[in-house]
C-alpha cells in the first residue's frame, strides 16, 4: 500500500470511528454504589427501599443531568439526598407520588453521591403466579440529559404476597421438594396433582391449591416408600437366592464326599 493510499485509508477509518461514536450516543454515566431493597413484602405493609448512586459524571461533557424515579408502591414519599466527596450532605429534596422528576444532579454543586429512598405501601397483586413468583416494581431510576435523551439506571422488583397466598406457596414448595426427593420412583400421579395445585394457585384458589399440594406430597412420599420397599424385597430375594445357591453347593459337595467314601 502506497503512502497516499494509506493516508486515505487512515482518514476513512477515523471518519467511520467518529460516525459510529455519534450513532452509539453517550454511555450511561451512573453506577449503583449500594442498595437496601427488600426481596419480598406483604400486601398492605409499608416498606422503604434505598439506592445510592456514584460515578455520576463519567462522561467529561456531562456535568449535570436530571434524575427521575418510578414505583408501584402506593401513598409514596421519595427522599433524594445529595452528598459531596467527604460524605457531607449537600442538599435534600422530597417528592410525593409514584413518579418524580426534576432532581438536578450537578458537578457544580459539589455532588458526588446521590441517595434515593422511597417509602410506600405494597400494592395488591394483579395476577398471581407460582413460578415465576409475581412481582412489582419497587424502584425504577432514569437519567435524563439535556435534550431529552435518557438512560435506564436500574430497576428493582420485589415479590408481594398475602397471608393466604404465602401459606399456599409454602405447601407447594414442600410438595415440589417431596416429588424431587422421590426421584426414581413413579411420581406421575403426584406430579399431575402438583400441576393442578399450581393452576389453582395461579387462579387465586389458595385453599384448593393447599389441599392439592398436600395430596401431591402424600402421593410422592407413598411412591418413594413403595419404591424403597420394592428395592428391599429385591435385595432380600437376591440374598435368599445367594444363600440357596451356597447351601445347594454345599449339599452337593457333601453328597459327592459321601459317594467317594463308599467307593473307597
Amino acid at each position: 500500500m502506497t503512502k497516499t493510499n494509506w493516508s486515505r485509508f487512515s482518514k476513512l477509518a477515523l471518519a467511520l470511528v467518529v460516525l459510529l461514536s455519534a450513532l452509539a450516543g453517550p454511555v450511561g454515566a451512573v453506577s449503583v454504589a449500594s442498595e437496601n431493597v427488600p426481596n419480598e413484602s406483604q400486601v398492605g405493609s409499608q416498606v422503604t427501599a434505598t439506592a445510592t448512586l456514584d460515578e455520576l459524571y463519567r462522561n467529561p461533557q456531562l456535568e449535570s443531568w436530571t434524575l427521575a424515579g418510578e414505583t408501584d408502591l402506593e401513598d409514596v414519599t421519595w427522599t433524594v439526598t445529595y452528598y459531596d466527596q467527604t460524605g457531607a450532605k449537600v442538599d435534600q429534596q422530597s417528592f410525593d407520588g409514584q413518579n418524580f422528576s426534576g432532581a438536578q444532579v450537578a458537578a457544580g454543586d459539589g455532588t458526588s453521591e446521590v441517595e434515593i429512598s422511597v417509602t410506600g405501601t405494597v400494592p395488591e397483586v394483579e395476577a398471581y403466579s407460582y413460578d415465576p413468583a409475581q412481582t412489582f416494581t419497587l424502584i425504577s431510576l432514569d437519567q435524563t440529559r439535556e435534550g431529552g435523551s435518557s438512560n435506564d439506571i436500574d430497576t428493582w422488583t420485589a415479590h408481594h404476597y398475602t397471608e393466604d397466598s404465602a401459606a399456599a406457596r409454602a405447601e407447594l414448595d414442600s410438595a415440589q421438594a417431596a416429588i424431587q426427593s422421590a426421584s426414581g420412583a413413579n411420581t406421575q400421579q403426584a406430579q399431575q396433582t402438583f400441576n393442578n395445585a399450581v393452576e389453582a394457585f395461579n387462579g387465586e384458589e389458595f385453599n384448593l391449591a393447599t389441599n392439592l399440594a398436600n395430596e401431591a406430597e402424600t402421593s410422592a412420599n407413598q411412591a418413594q416408600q413403595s419404591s424403597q420397599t420394592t428395592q428391599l424385597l429385591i435385595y432380600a430375594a437376591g440374598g435368599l437366592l445367594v444363600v440357596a445357591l451356597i447351601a445347594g453347593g454345599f449339599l452337593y459337595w457333601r453328597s459327592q464326599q459321601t459317594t467317594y467314601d463308599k467307593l473307597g
Side-chain angles (χ1 to χ4, degrees):
M1 182 180 291
T2 65
K3 184 175 181 180
T4 301
N5 289 337
W6 176 256
S7 177
R8 290 176 179 174
F9 176 78
S10 299
K11 291 179 180 179
L12 178 60
L14 179 60
L16 286 174
V17 170
V18 172
L19 177 61
L20 290 174
S21 298
L23 291 175
V27 178
V30 182
S31 67
V32 178
S34 63
E35 59 189 70
N36 184 9
V37 180
N39 293 323
E40 59 179 14
S41 300
Q42 185 170 348
V43 171
S45 63
Q46 188 177 76
V47 298
T48 297
T50 303
T52 301
L53 309 179
D54 65 358
E55 300 187 21
L56 306 176
Y57 317 104
R58 284 184 178 179
N59 187 334
Q61 297 178 352
L62 187 64
E63 296 184 355
S64 66
W65 50 275
T66 302
L67 176 67
E70 182 179 355
T71 182
D72 286 338
L73 290 171
E74 300 171 345
D75 302 322
V76 180
T77 298
W78 299 84
T79 302
V80 181
T81 308
Y82 306 84
Y83 297 93
D84 63 17
Q85 291 183 345
T86 68
K89 183 189 296 186
V90 175
D91 194 8
Q92 187 174 75
Q93 292 177 290
S94 294
F95 304 89
D96 293 327
Q98 292 182 311
N99 302 278
F100 83 90
S101 61
Q104 296 294 325
V105 180
D109 296 334
T111 302
S112 178
E113 284 189 350
V114 179
E115 180 186 82
I116 303 95
S117 178
V118 59
T119 299
T121 303
V122 178
E124 296 287 340
V125 178
E126 294 183 359
Y128 283 90
S129 171
Y130 175 67
D131 186 19
Q134 69 279 350
T135 60
F136 70 100
T137 298
L138 200 51
I139 307 180
S140 181
L141 299 176
D142 293 321
Q143 175 196 47
T144 302
R145 298 183 297 277
E146 185 177 356
S149 60
S150 63
N151 287 330
D152 294 332
I153 297 175
D154 210 335
T155 297
W156 292 265
T157 61
H159 167 226
H160 54 160
Y161 59 88
T162 63
E163 186 175 344
D164 290 340
S165 72
R169 179 177 293 278
E171 294 298 334
L172 283 165
D173 290 344
S174 181
Q176 187 175 53
I179 293 172
Q180 292 173 348
S181 178
S183 177
N186 184 6
T187 58
Q188 183 175 357
Q189 181 60 47
Q191 184 63 54
Q192 182 58 52
T193 305
F194 176 80
N195 293 342
N196 293 338
V198 171
E199 289 184 10
F201 180 91
N202 294 343
E204 301 184 36
E205 298 180 78
F206 301 126
N207 288 334
L208 177 59
T210 298
N211 293 335
L212 289 173
N214 287 332
E215 289 181 19
E217 183 173 1
T218 299
S219 178
N221 290 335
Q222 289 175 345
Q224 184 178 35
Q225 185 176 7
S226 176
S227 177
Q228 291 173 345
T229 301
T230 301
Q231 288 180 346
L232 288 175
L233 291 174
I234 292 173
Y235 294 151
L240 290 174
L241 179 60
V242 171
V243 171
L245 289 174
I246 293 174
F250 177 74
L251 292 175
Y252 175 77
W253 176 79
R254 287 295 303 272
S255 66
Q256 293 299 312
Q257 292 298 316
T258 302
T259 301
Y260 292 149
D261 290 343
K262 289 180 179 180
L263 292 175

